[in-house]
């Protein structure tokens, strides 16, 4: 798993690569934890490189979304691979996350 | 201490006189004076006589023996003849010659039983058989000993030029003669001691050619023997004892020999004298001959006589028998 | 020394090396010095001998001239008896080196009537006297001095002799033949002799000094010692009797070389003075030979003294070297034994063992630092090990607890309802190493309704298992015949959401089957859609739900859905542990493979079907470690009043 976080004009661009599973979800949470406290931040989560996500990983997505909303910001997820989208669909998470096909669409979406 | 000293002083002259009188009587009564002359200059050839004298064996026989040596120029038999010697040692054939010439001498003891006479040639000369000696020069002593070589030549049908020499081996060493007469116990070793190795020499031992004639014997005049037979018996006995002792104590005997030679201012060395003593003692061993020490065998006498007649012109000479020539002193007849 | 075995070895080797090196140098030096001394001694010996011979010849040569000249006079003149005596006396008087002279005639050569005549002039004290040598007792014709030159027809040097008339002086005679022409033939007329005292010769030879015990000696043509430091040898011994006396055949060889006139070096052991070099050379005029004797002991005395000095110095040097080496070695490698002690102490468990200090800039310093590093690392490692061990133990006990909670909460007895012939039910939960938080449950609500649930808690371990336990408890307590599935799920959701700080959630599928009618009411809160199996149709997945897992939002509108089962229809429920089972290459088992497996086994009983799917998964992962709980549940609906077949 590899994570890069860039501050952009729009807010933060988080690029997630590889797998998020029970072995590394803690590291994933630690590396994005500082975003929990960003006031009104718009966080763009690039999932194009995400190959697999376990329920532990989903929990962190959920936590991030909750925290960001509490701080008045928002989380936009984009460019999910089909099998990741499927997991989101199965678990019903597609309905509680803002999911976009790509970065541009995510930026322009309200 | 003082008393003792006094006693000595008192009795000494008396004691001295007593001893002098007793001693004088003793000498007069028992010690027969004999002059003995060996037939050559002092050397180990006469070791037994020196030992007998030094060990007091002659004294034990009541004899007062004086040894007076002959020289190269004067033979022992001449000294016996003219009365200067009472008893002499001599070469048997020389003694026989004198007896034949009328000197009334008798053999009272034959010490050597074998011949030590021999001839040597140098191997490089190629002379290795009697025949090759024909017409060759033979160095031979001027003092005699020619009977045996003459008999040898006659028996082998050869003749040789006899070159008379005094006593050294030098003429042979410088090749002045082809062959040299030597005594095995003396000149043979001298040649060796002048640096000629034994294997550089050819040897002709006369004993190997049926000429094993006994050599050194003891002689005296017949009259003397008759008048004082006991003295001669004692002399013979003491002499044989001396030789026996010399053979048992060779180095001691050699000491005496060297002493005699030194007194005569003769060059000497122990190595050569040791060789001589050893060989002379060998000559005295009977070997195959059935003979006792000091005895002359009739067969040896007869052979010697044969040689003598072969070598010498016998015309005008007296003839004599074994019994006349060999007479044991009265006291030694057991 | 045992404790210092290494230092002992180093010392021994260093010393051995020094010893061998020193020994080699010394040997080379010694051999070289010896060679030099030998060469110089040889040259010196040759020089000494040659110069002595030269001096001797200087005297002998004129002496030889006298008879030779005299022979010429005698051959050409006939002198009267008196004039011959006068002439001889004058000759002796005029030549200091001449002791006596004689002219010995052949028989009847001087006069017909006289057999022999040998006029002789000789010194007697200060006077010169004369006489005729001939007498019947002195037959000079058989004397060597006459006979040998006469027979050989050439001059002859006699062997040395002590002259009785001359007071026992050692003499030698030079004799030369002279001839006369008689009847036109040259015949030997006599021998002319000159007697020379050899005292001067002795002086010359004795003046040759070689160290303390070395000497020169002269032997005659017969090998007789003419001069020798040992006076008893002179005239008594020949070199050959001496060889026999000391039993040294080599001397005899030297003697033979000498009398044959050769010059040579020989090495021989003379018993009296030990080993010697002998150089000999001939006196050309006579056949005599001069030898010089070099005693080894003295020849090499200087060398030996030097050797003793070198040996002593070397010994001192070796001792000093030993002491220095021992000190240096002990100082240099002394810390090693201390390290060894420290290492033993550390191995024994005392990691705080004090290390001895060592000098800077030193290999020992490196060793010391490595040791210190090892010590520190060991200490750290042991500490880490203790910590990890306890942490691991803690984790393992937690895992055990988690698994215990999980397995205690789910029903295990199959078949669960022997008195309900309408259904065949089988469920299986295989916990992963780290408990995944899967759950299933089933229980009748009344005679006609069976409630069942399957779910998957997010996360792992104890928190997940506790969350799972709570969820099962909540489902059981919320279920009664008045509630629909959605109501049950909503109740559970509401309860779980309260104080759920960690945002854990459960995907949950709850269904209630009407055993009489086959109507199945269910509510899917984000769980994997179950598969419906009909004997005559391909397996069919339930559609994806729009409802999110429970525990996320307190208020969420969960909806009931309904499906009617035909008799012998089967519902297969599972968690993502099945579809996301991985092989070594991280390929997922996937829904397609699941459907395929189910399709192949659709006429099987609940248990058999479950086992077959489990088998398929197992074959797929091919031994790869299971990372998530694998949970399956299969319900076969037989309908009311039907005889149970399977």
């Amino acid at each position: 798993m590899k994570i890069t976080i860039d501050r952009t004009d729009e807010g933060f661009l988080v690029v997630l690569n590889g797998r998020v599973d029970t072995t590394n979800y803690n590291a994933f949470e630690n590396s994005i934890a500082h975003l929990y406290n960003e006031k009104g931040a718009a966080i763009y989560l690039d999932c194009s490189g995400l190959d697999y996500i376990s329920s532990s990983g989903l929990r962190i997505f959920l936590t991030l979304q909750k925290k960001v909303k509490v701080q008045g910001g928002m989380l936009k997820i984009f460019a999910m691979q089909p099998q990741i989208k499927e997991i989101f669909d199965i678990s019903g998470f597609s309905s509680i996350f803002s999911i976009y096909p790509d970065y541009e669409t995510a930026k322009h979406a309200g | 201490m003082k008393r003792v000293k006094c006693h000595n002083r008192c009795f000494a002259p008396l004691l001295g006189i007593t001893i002098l009188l007793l001693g004088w009587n003793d000498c007069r009564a028992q010690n027969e004076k004999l002059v003995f002359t060996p037939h050559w200059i002092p050397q180990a050839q006469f070791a037994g006589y020196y030992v007998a004298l030094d060990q007091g064996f002659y004294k034990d026989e009541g004899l007062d023996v004086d040894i007076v040596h002959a020289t190269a120029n004067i033979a022992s038999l001449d000294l016996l003849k003219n009365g200067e010697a009472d008893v002499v040692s001599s070469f048997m054939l020389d003694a026989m010659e004198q007896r034949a010439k009328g000197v009334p001498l008798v053999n009272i003891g034959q010490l050597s039983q074998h011949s030590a006479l021999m001839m040597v040639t140098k191997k490089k000369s190629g002379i290795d058989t009697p025949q090759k000696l024909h017409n060759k020069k033979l160095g031979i002593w001027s003092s005699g000993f020619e009977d045996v070589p003459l008999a040898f030549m006659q028996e082998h049908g050869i003749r040789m030029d006899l070159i008379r020499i005094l006593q050294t081996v030098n003429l042979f060493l410088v090749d002045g003669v082809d062959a040299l007469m030597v005594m095995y116990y003396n000149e043979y070793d001298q040649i060796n001691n002048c640096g000629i190795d034994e294997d550089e020499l050819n040897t002709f031992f006369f004993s190997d050619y049926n000429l094993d004639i006994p050599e050194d014997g003891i002689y005296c005049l017949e009259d003397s023997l008759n008048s004082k037979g006991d003295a001669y018996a004692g002399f013979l006995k003491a002499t044989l004892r001396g030789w026996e002792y010399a053979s048992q104590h060779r180095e001691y005997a050699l000491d005496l020999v060297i002493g005699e030679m030194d007194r005569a201012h003769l060059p000497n060395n122990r190595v050569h004298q040791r060789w001589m003593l050893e060989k002379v003692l060998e000559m005295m061993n009977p070997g195959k001959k059935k003979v006792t020490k000091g005895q002359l065998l009739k067969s040896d006498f007869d052979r010697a006589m044969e040689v003598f007649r072969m070598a010498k012109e016998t015309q005008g000479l007296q003839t004599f028998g074994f019994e006349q020539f060999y007479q044991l002193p009265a006291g030694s007849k057991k | 020394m045992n404790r210092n075995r290494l230092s002992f070895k180093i010392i021994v080797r260093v010393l051995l090396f020094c010893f061998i090196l020193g020994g080699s140098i010394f040997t080379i030096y010694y051999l070289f010095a010896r060679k030099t001394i030998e060469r110089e001694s040889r040259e010196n010996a040759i020089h000494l001998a040659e110069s002595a011979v030269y001096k001797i010849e200087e005297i002998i040569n004129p002496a030889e001239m006298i008879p030779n000249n005299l022979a010429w006079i005698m051959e050409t003149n006939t002198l009267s008896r008196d004039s011959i005596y006068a002439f001889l006396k004058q000759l002796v008087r005029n030549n200091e080196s001449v002791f006596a002279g004689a002219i010995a005639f052949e028989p009847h050569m001087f006069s017909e009537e006289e057999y022999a005549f040998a006029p002789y002039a000789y010194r007697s004290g200060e006077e010169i006297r004369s006489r005729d040598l001939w007498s019947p007792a002195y037959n000079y014709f058989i004397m060597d001095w006459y006979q040998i030159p006469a027979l050989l027809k050439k001059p002859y040097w006699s062997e040395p002799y002590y002259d009785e008339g001359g007071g026992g002086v050692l003499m030698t005679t030079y004799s030369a033949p002279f001839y006369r022409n008689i009847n036109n033939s040259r015949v030997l007329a006599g021998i002319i002799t000159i007697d020379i005292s050899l005292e001067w010769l002795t002086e010359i030879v004795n003046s040759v000094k070689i160290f303390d015990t070395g000497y020169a000696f002269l032997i005659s043509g017969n090998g007789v010692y003419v001069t020798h430091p040992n006076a008893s040898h002179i005239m008594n011994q020949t070199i050959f009797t001496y060889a026999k006396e000391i039993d040294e055949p080599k001397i005899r060889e030297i003697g033979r070389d000498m009398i044959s006139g050769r010059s040579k070096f020989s090495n021989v052991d003379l018993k009296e003075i030990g080993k010697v070099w002998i150089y000999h050379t001939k006196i050309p005029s006579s056949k005599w030979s001069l030898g010089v004797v070099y005693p080894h002991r003295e020849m090499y005395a200087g060398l030996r003294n030097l050797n003793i000095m070198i040996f002593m110095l070397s010994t001192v040097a070796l001792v000093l070297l030993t002491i220095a080496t021992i000190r240096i070695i002990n100082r240099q490698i002394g810390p090693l034994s201390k390290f060894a002690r420290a290492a033993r102490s550390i191995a024994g468990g005392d990691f705080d063992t004090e290390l001895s200090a060592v000098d800077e800039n030193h290999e020992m310093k490196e060793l010391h630092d490595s040791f210190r590093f090892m010590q520190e690392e060991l200490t750290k490692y042991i500490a880490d090990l203790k910590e990890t061990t306890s942490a691991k133990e803690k984790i393992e006990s937690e895992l055990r607890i988690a698994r215990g909670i999980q397995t205690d909460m789910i029903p295990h007895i199959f078949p669960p309802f022997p008195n309900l012939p309408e259904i065949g039910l089988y469920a299986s939960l295989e916990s992963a190493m780290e408990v995944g938080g899967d759950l299933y449950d089933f229980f009748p609500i009344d005679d006609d309704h069976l409630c069942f649930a399957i779910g998957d808690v997010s996360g792992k371990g104890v928190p997940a298992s506790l969350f799972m336990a709570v969820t099962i408890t909540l489902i059981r307590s919320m279920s009664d015949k008045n509630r629909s599935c959605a109501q049950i799920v909503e109740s559970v959701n509401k309860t779980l959401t309260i104080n759920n700080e960690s945002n854990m959630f459960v995907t949950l599928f709850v269904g209630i089957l009407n055993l009489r009618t086959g109507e199945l009411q269910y509510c899917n809160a984000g769980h994997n859609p179950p598969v419906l199996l009909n004997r005559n149709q391909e397996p069919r997945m339930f559609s994806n739900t729009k409802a999110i897992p429970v525990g996320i939002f307190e208020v969420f509108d969960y909806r009931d859905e309904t499906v009617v089962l035909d008799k012998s229809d089967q519902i297969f429920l599972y968690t993502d542990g099945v579809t996301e089972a991985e092989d070594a290459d991280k390929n997922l088992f996937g829904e397609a493979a699941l459907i395929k497996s189910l399709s192949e086994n659709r006429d099987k009983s609940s248990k058999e079907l479950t086992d077959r799917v489990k088998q398929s998964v197992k074959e797929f992962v091919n031994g790869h470690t299971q990372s998530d709980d694998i949970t399956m549940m299969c319900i076969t609906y037989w309908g009311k009043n039907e005889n149970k077949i399977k």
Side-chain angles (χ1 to χ4, degrees):
Chain A
M1 183 193 70
K2 191 181 164 206
I3 301 163
T4 55
I5 301 173
D6 290 318
R7 190 180 280 275
T8 62
D9 295 344
E10 289 78 21
F12 293 94
L13 175 62
V14 179
V15 183
L16 200 51
N17 279 300
R19 300 164 57 95
V20 178
D21 54 29
T22 50
T23 63
N24 58 15
Y25 70 89
N26 269 328
F28 175 42
E29 181 156 25
N30 288 341
S31 55
I32 60 160
H34 67 277
L35 299 174
Y36 294 172
N37 302 321
E38 293 289 333
K39 297 235 183 294
I43 294 166
Y44 295 86
L45 190 55
D46 181 354
C47 288
S48 60
L50 183 65
D51 297 324
Y52 174 81
I53 187 158
S54 73
S55 56
S56 309
L58 289 176
R59 188 180 63 80
I60 293 158
F61 274 38
L62 205 57
T63 305
L64 180 62
Q65 165 127 315
K66 280 188 174 178
K67 296 284 183 187
V68 168
K69 279 192 171 158
V70 169
Q71 298 293 340
M74 57 179 178
L75 174 67
K76 292 184 175 178
I77 305 172
F78 63 90
M80 274 185 186
Q81 291 181 26
Q83 74 270 22
I84 303 298
K85 183 71 171 63
E86 198 185 335
I87 289 169
F88 273 69
D89 288 345
I90 288 170
S91 60
F93 275 27
S94 305
S95 60
I96 56 172
F97 286 104
S98 306
I99 298 170
Y100 304 93
D102 52 49
Y103 189 35
E104 285 305 306
T105 321
K107 277 196 281 190
H108 295 110
Chain B
M1 283 300 265
K2 271 185 177 175
R3 249 177 58 201
V4 174
K5 223 172 181 179
C6 177
H7 277 282
N8 276 349
R9 208 174 283 162
C10 298
F11 287 100
L14 186 64
L15 196 69
I17 289 163
T18 313
I19 289 171
L20 197 67
L21 286 170
L22 283 170
W24 181 256
N25 287 337
D26 194 52
C27 288
R28 295 282 290 192
Q30 296 197 347
N31 280 19
E32 185 73 48
K33 204 169 164 65
L34 281 181
V35 173
F36 168 69
T37 297
H39 61 290
W40 197 242
I41 54 175
Q43 56 183 4
Q45 191 180 0
F46 312 114
Y49 303 102
Y50 308 140
V51 170
L53 185 66
D54 193 61
Q55 287 291 308
F57 296 163
Y58 292 126
K59 268 214 170 67
D60 292 348
E61 302 297 329
L63 298 173
D64 184 6
V65 171
D66 198 5
I67 298 178
V68 178
H69 286 93
T71 67
N73 297 326
I74 305 159
S76 60
L77 290 174
D78 291 338
L79 294 172
L80 181 69
K81 197 163 57 182
N82 64 26
E84 284 181 48
D86 302 307
V87 59
V88 300
S89 76
S90 183
F91 198 73
M92 188 162 85
L93 282 163
D94 288 349
M96 287 171 87
E97 186 185 358
Q98 291 302 316
R99 176 83 206 199
K101 281 177 177 169
V103 180
L105 53 77
V106 288
N107 184 319
I108 59 166
Q110 183 60 35
L111 297 181
S112 139
Q113 297 295 346
H114 301 282
S115 171
L117 265 182
M118 60 190 292
M119 287 185 287
V120 291
T121 62
K122 287 183 181 167
K123 271 207 174 125
K124 65 178 183 188
S125 71
I127 301 167
D128 54 0
T129 64
Q131 279 65 41
K132 286 184 185 169
L133 285 164
H134 187 55
N135 281 338
K136 293 287 188 272
K137 285 182 201 162
L138 172 66
I140 187 164
W141 301 282
S142 59
S143 52
F145 307 110
E146 74 268 34
D147 303 330
V148 173
L150 287 174
F152 173 84
M153 288 176 217
Q154 207 167 323
E155 286 185 349
H156 287 89
I158 57 170
R159 65 159 295 279
M160 297 182 76
D161 289 336
L162 300 190
I163 307 292
R164 297 290 171 175
I165 57 166
L166 191 59
Q167 55 177 315
T168 70
V169 297
N170 293 339
L171 191 60
F172 177 70
L173 294 178
V174 298
D175 295 329
V177 288
D178 303 301
L180 187 70
M181 284 286 292
V182 299
M183 288 292 183
Y184 185 45
Y185 54 75
N186 190 2
E187 289 84 356
Y188 178 78
D189 188 49
Q190 278 181 28
I191 292 170
N192 188 249
N193 288 343
C194 288
I196 310 283
D197 290 344
E198 288 193 70
D199 61 12
E200 289 176 312
L201 294 173
N202 287 324
T203 56
F204 299 86
F205 286 94
F206 290 111
S207 58
D208 293 341
Y209 295 92
N210 193 27
L211 288 165
D212 194 9
I213 310 296
E215 295 173 347
D216 296 0
I218 302 170
Y219 297 87
C220 68
L221 293 175
E222 214 164 357
D223 290 348
S224 313
L225 181 64
N226 292 335
S227 63
K228 36 185 182 183
D230 286 347
Y232 287 111
F235 181 81
L236 179 61
K237 190 182 166 200
T239 301
L240 290 173
R241 224 179 128 195
W243 276 111
E244 188 58 38
Y245 194 88
S247 99
Q248 304 297 326
H249 305 87
R250 298 191 184 196
E251 292 305 309
Y252 155 74
L254 287 173
D255 288 342
L256 295 181
V257 171
I258 302 295
E260 284 296 324
M261 296 183 81
D262 278 342
R263 260 193 294 287
H265 300 291
L266 290 169
N268 60 73
N269 74 71
R270 207 178 180 87
V271 170
H272 176 56
Q273 295 303 322
R274 187 179 291 121
W275 166 276
M276 186 183 287
L277 178 61
E278 204 173 289
K279 298 305 166 194
V280 166
L281 285 169
E282 274 176 29
M283 296 299 147
M284 292 171 74
N285 265 336
K288 285 173 188 166
K289 292 182 179 175
K290 287 184 176 153
V291 68
T292 58
K293 282 252 164 88
Q295 189 195 351
L296 174 62
L297 286 181
K298 185 168 185 306
S299 58
D300 281 342
F301 172 81
D302 292 343
R303 175 65 176 149
M305 187 57 85
E306 210 178 322
V307 168
F308 178 66
R309 292 214 171 100
M310 243 188 281
K312 288 277 174 357
E313 185 56 55
T314 52
Q315 209 166 3
L317 293 182
Q318 295 177 12
T319 54
F320 54 92
F322 175 63
E323 289 74 17
Q324 287 165 284
F325 184 73
Y326 177 60
Q327 295 180 29
L328 279 179
S332 60
K333 281 173 186 155
K334 288 159 201 147
Chain C
M1 220 52 199
N2 234 15
R3 229 179 34 180
N4 298 328
R5 182 74 63 78
L6 178 62
S7 57
F8 179 71
K9 275 185 180 172
I10 293 173
I11 291 162
V12 166
R13 277 164 204 195
V14 166
L15 290 180
L16 196 67
F17 174 75
C18 291
F19 194 75
I20 291 167
L21 187 71
S24 310
I25 291 170
F26 178 75
T27 307
I28 292 164
Y29 146 80
Y30 177 76
L31 292 176
F32 181 76
R34 210 183 143 92
K35 255 274 126 30
T36 308
I37 286 173
E38 273 171 23
R39 198 182 58 237
E40 280 171 5
S41 296
R42 267 169 184 258
E43 284 165 5
N44 194 29
I46 293 171
H47 172 73
L48 279 175
E50 298 298 344
S51 66
V53 166
Y54 177 76
K55 281 186 204 161
I56 292 166
E57 286 288 292
E58 242 182 344
I59 297 177
I60 284 180
N61 280 337
E64 279 187 346
M65 293 305 291
I66 295 168
N68 295 346
N69 291 337
L70 208 53
W72 181 77
I73 294 166
M74 293 307 295
E75 282 172 27
T76 50
N77 301 289
T78 312
L79 297 172
S80 72
R81 186 181 301 259
D82 288 344
S83 53
I84 288 180
Y85 274 118
F87 186 79
L88 276 174
K89 281 169 91 170
Q90 193 60 39
L91 188 144
V92 172
R93 188 175 293 118
N94 290 350
N95 291 279
E96 225 178 307
S97 61
V98 173
F99 176 79
I103 301 168
F105 288 91
E106 278 280 274
H108 306 293
M109 186 60 76
F110 182 70
S111 67
E112 284 295 327
E113 55 273 19
E114 235 176 327
Y115 172 64
F117 178 50
Y120 173 60
Y122 62 99
R123 291 174 194 274
S124 176
E126 293 299 300
E127 280 181 86
I128 310 290
R129 293 186 181 174
S130 64
R131 64 181 174 92
D132 184 359
L133 282 176
W134 166 255
S135 77
Y138 191 79
N139 176 13
Y140 62 76
F141 299 112
I142 61 169
M143 301 286 173
D144 279 352
W145 64 261
Y146 189 96
Q147 191 175 38
I148 293 174
L151 275 171
L152 298 180
K153 297 203 164 37
K154 58 183 183 188
Y156 172 71
W157 280 95
S158 81
E159 281 294 301
Y161 59 93
Y162 285 111
D163 184 80
E164 284 164 25
V169 177
L170 191 62
M171 306 270 257
T172 182
T173 298
Y174 178 73
S175 325
F178 67 97
Y179 305 87
R180 282 207 176 137
N181 281 316
I182 295 172
N183 303 328
N184 289 328
S185 69
R186 190 173 145 90
V187 296
L188 181 71
I191 302 293
I192 297 166
T193 69
I194 289 295
D195 297 348
I196 299 171
S197 160
L198 290 178
E199 278 179 335
W200 58 271
L201 193 68
T202 313
E203 262 168 45
I204 290 172
V205 178
N206 285 351
S207 72
V208 176
K209 290 283 173 223
I210 301 159
F211 306 120
D212 289 335
T213 56
Y215 58 89
F217 66 95
L218 190 68
I219 61 168
S220 74
N222 284 1
V224 175
Y225 284 112
V226 180
T227 74
H228 193 278
N230 182 347
S232 74
H233 280 13
I234 297 171
M235 294 302 289
N236 288 332
Q237 297 268 27
T238 68
I239 192 166
F240 305 104
T241 59
Y242 177 62
K244 286 179 186 170
E245 189 172 290
I246 65 167
D247 193 23
E248 178 54 84
K250 230 173 158 184
I251 304 262
R252 186 174 176 90
E253 287 311 306
I254 291 170
R256 283 168 61 85
D257 280 339
M258 287 179 84
I259 62 172
S260 60
R262 278 190 277 270
S263 300
K264 202 176 160 188
F265 260 100
S266 311
N267 211 346
V268 74
D269 189 359
L270 293 182
K271 301 289 186 294
E272 324 154 311
I273 54 173
K275 288 197 169 153
V276 296
W277 277 103
I278 293 182
Y279 173 72
H280 58 79
T281 188
K282 66 167 178 177
I283 314 283
S285 55
S286 63
K287 280 186 73 188
W288 298 6
S289 182
L290 181 87
V292 288
V293 177
Y294 269 70
H296 276 202
R297 201 165 45 77
E298 292 182 47
M299 204 161 107
Y300 301 121
L303 184 61
R304 203 172 49 243
N305 292 341
L306 203 59
N307 286 351
I308 291 167
M309 182 72 93
I310 288 173
F311 179 76
M312 273 159 41
L313 286 176
S314 310
T315 310
V316 171
L318 265 182
V319 169
L320 289 177
L321 186 67
T322 310
I323 294 168
T325 313
I326 290 170
R327 291 194 63 153
I328 292 167
I329 296 291
N330 280 345
R331 220 176 111 197
Q332 296 298 308
I333 69 171
L336 272 186
S337 55
K338 287 178 186 158
F339 285 154
R341 275 200 297 280
R344 265 197 296 280
S345 169
I346 290 168
D350 181 6
F351 298 115
D352 300 326
T353 302
E354 199 59 41
L355 290 179
S356 59
V358 293
D359 292 349
E360 292 290 331
N361 304 325
H362 196 284
E363 283 91 340
M364 278 300 158
K365 174 73 177 158
E366 247 172 67
L367 187 63
H368 174 269
D369 291 350
S370 304
F371 233 88
R372 161 78 24 98
F373 179 70
M374 181 194 83
Q375 200 180 13
E376 285 166 5
E377 284 301 297
L378 266 176
T379 313
K380 215 186 290 173
Y381 175 73
I382 293 295
D384 278 358
L385 194 63
K386 276 183 186 161
E387 203 174 292
T388 10
T389 309
S390 67
K392 205 174 170 193
E393 275 167 2
K394 195 171 134 202
I395 287 164
E396 272 175 7
S397 79
E398 277 181 5
L399 287 177
R400 226 168 18 247
I401 291 163
R403 200 173 296 120
I405 293 167
Q406 189 181 38
T407 43
D408 286 352
M409 293 305 294
I410 55 175
H412 298 286
I413 299 156
F414 297 101
F417 310 116
N419 53 347
L420 287 180
E422 296 88 347
I423 51 161
L425 192 153
Y426 186 80
S428 146
L429 190 158
E430 282 186 20
S431 297
M433 176 69 176
E434 204 180 346
V435 173
D438 277 12
L439 63 91
Y440 70 83
D441 199 6
F442 45 82
F443 47 88
I445 300 171
D446 57 26
D447 290 347
D448 295 331
H449 293 88
L450 176 75
C451 180
F452 60 91
I454 187 165
D456 180 4
V457 179
S458 69
K460 306 234 164 185
V462 175
S465 65
L466 285 174
F467 210 81
M468 169 256 185
V470 170
T471 307
I472 284 191
T473 312
L474 284 173
I475 292 167
R476 286 229 174 184
S477 61
M478 298 299 175
S479 306
D480 61 50
K481 56 186 175 188
N482 300 320
R483 292 190 193 208
S484 73
C485 290
Q487 282 169 330
I488 295 168
V489 170
E490 272 180 18
S491 307
V492 171
N493 180 48
K494 199 166 277 174
T495 312
L496 285 178
T497 312
I498 297 165
N499 298 325
N500 182 10
E501 285 303 314
S502 62
N503 286 321
M504 294 185 81
F505 58 87
V506 191
T507 64
L508 190 62
F509 182 98
V510 178
I512 296 171
L513 177 64
N514 187 322
L515 301 177
R516 229 169 349 107
T517 61
E519 185 191 86
L520 173 65
Q521 185 195 54
Y522 65 92
C523 175
N524 187 352
H527 196 77
N528 299 60
V531 182
L532 179 63
L533 294 159
N534 183 283
R535 209 164 280 199
N536 302 316
Q537 291 171 22
E538 281 300 304
R540 187 159 51 87
M541 268 199 175
F542 284 39
S543 56
N544 280 350
T545 178
K546 291 277 185 282
I548 62 169
V550 295
I552 297 170
F553 298 125
E554 195 181 331
V555 180
F556 190 86
D557 186 17
Y558 292 100
R559 301 279 174 97
D560 279 319
E561 285 171 85
T562 306
V563 65
V564 179
L565 303 181
D566 287 337
K567 282 177 185 174
S568 79
D569 276 359
Q570 291 175 304
I571 299 168
F572 183 82
L573 302 107
Y574 58 94
T575 59
D576 58 3
V578 176
T579 50
E580 292 174 15
E582 286 177 342
D583 64 9
D585 300 326
K586 301 218 181 284
N587 295 314
L588 302 183
F589 185 65
E591 285 174 358
L594 174 63
I595 298 294
K596 182 167 176 280
S597 181
L598 289 172
S599 170
E600 285 164 6
N601 298 293
R602 55 187 150 176
D603 54 346
K604 301 287 192 301
S605 72
S606 296
K607 181 175 187 308
E608 226 171 316
L609 185 71
T610 308
D611 287 343
R612 289 293 172 89
V613 173
K614 207 191 282 177
Q615 187 60 31
S616 301
V617 173
K618 204 170 178 183
E619 280 167 14
F620 175 78
V621 300
N622 195 22
H624 190 65
T625 314
Q626 181 188 345
S627 62
D628 199 358
D629 294 349
I630 293 175
T631 307
M632 292 177 271
M633 182 156 70
C634 182
I635 301 166
T636 310
Y637 176 67
W638 296 115
K640 205 77 177 173
N641 301 326
E642 280 283 337
N643 284 331
K644 184 177 71 184
I645 299 163
K646 290 175 187 174

